[in-house]
Amino acid sequence: MARPNPELIDALRRTARKLTEGAPYQWGHMGGCNCGNLAQELTKLTKDQIHAYAMQRYGDWNEQVQDYCPTSRMPIDVVISEMVNAGLSLEDLKNLEKLSDKQILSRFPLEKRFLKHNQRDDVVVYLRAWADLLEEQLLEMIELPDLHVDRSYTPV
């Protein structure tokens, strides 16, 4: 699962919002699919740039991630490296493309867990649920100091 951090949570929510507002979505387009839309937010590249980088090698996101090499300097590997540096794991990218992370899906009622990976609305609910999950995990990691209030103090 992704490393919870405010920047990643915000990128997931921005991606969901943009898709809701009509951002280009095309599951078969490497820059306009599930991973492609999130990559746009994390890298600030356009969908066409991401697609062109991906087309320098074969395959969909799953295959690109499988063949990922952080030192290759292939443009798509640089994109994937930026996504990993933002807190995502390679498994997260595979799951995002298929909307298949069990931990995220378990947040939905049983009858709503069968999301279609190439449906904009399903991508939006998945991204929002993922952002909520990461935010909860981030909040659990925060430890506040024990605030001892000195009740004997009286202001002058």
Side-chain angles (χ1 to χ4, degrees):
M1 176 57 68
R3 186 181 74 251
N5 65 77
E7 295 79 17
L8 178 57
I9 294 165
D10 187 50
L12 290 166
R13 290 200 171 118
R14 283 193 320 268
T15 304
R17 184 176 54 253
K18 286 182 177 182
L19 287 170
T20 299
E21 294 171 353
Y25 178 77
Q26 182 182 355
W27 193 78
H29 187 283
M30 293 293 291
C33 59
N34 307 354
C35 286
N37 272 282
L38 182 57
Q40 289 176 53
E41 287 303 308
L42 292 172
T43 66
K44 305 305 179 208
L45 295 170
T46 68
K47 72 181 185 73
D48 292 331
Q49 288 172 310
I50 295 165
H51 186 76
Y53 293 165
M55 292 297 100
Q56 293 178 22
R57 195 164 58 204
Y58 65 92
D60 61 13
W61 272 95
N62 193 52
E63 292 166 312
Q64 298 282 359
V65 168
Q66 186 173 327
D67 293 340
Y68 166 70
C69 174
T71 59
S72 79
R73 309 295 288 159
M74 290 274 304
I76 192 63
D77 286 342
V78 173
V79 170
I80 293 170
S81 287
E82 284 189 49
M83 296 176 83
V84 168
N85 290 339
L88 296 168
S89 71
L90 297 178
E91 197 63 30
D92 289 327
L93 295 175
K94 291 178 184 180
N95 287 332
L96 173 56
E97 201 56 20
K98 297 292 186 179
L99 305 181
S100 60
D101 185 281
K102 290 179 184 354
Q103 196 173 3
I104 296 168
L105 294 173
S106 71
R107 300 175 68 82
F108 297 106
L110 193 56
E111 67 276 6
K112 303 271 186 182
R113 290 184 189 173
F114 302 98
L115 302 178
K116 292 190 171 118
H117 64 274
N118 59 354
Q119 296 295 313
R120 176 192 301 264
D121 292 341
D122 286 354
V123 177
V124 168
V125 298
Y126 185 92
L127 289 169
R128 287 181 176 153
W130 192 6
D132 290 346
L133 174 63
L134 291 176
E135 183 175 64
E136 290 166 14
Q137 291 174 345
L138 182 62
L139 290 172
E140 287 173 9
M141 295 167 48
I142 297 172
E143 281 192 41
L144 296 175
D146 185 22
L147 300 176
H148 175 72
V149 179
D150 184 359
R151 303 242 185 251
S152 64
Y153 171 78
T154 37
V156 188

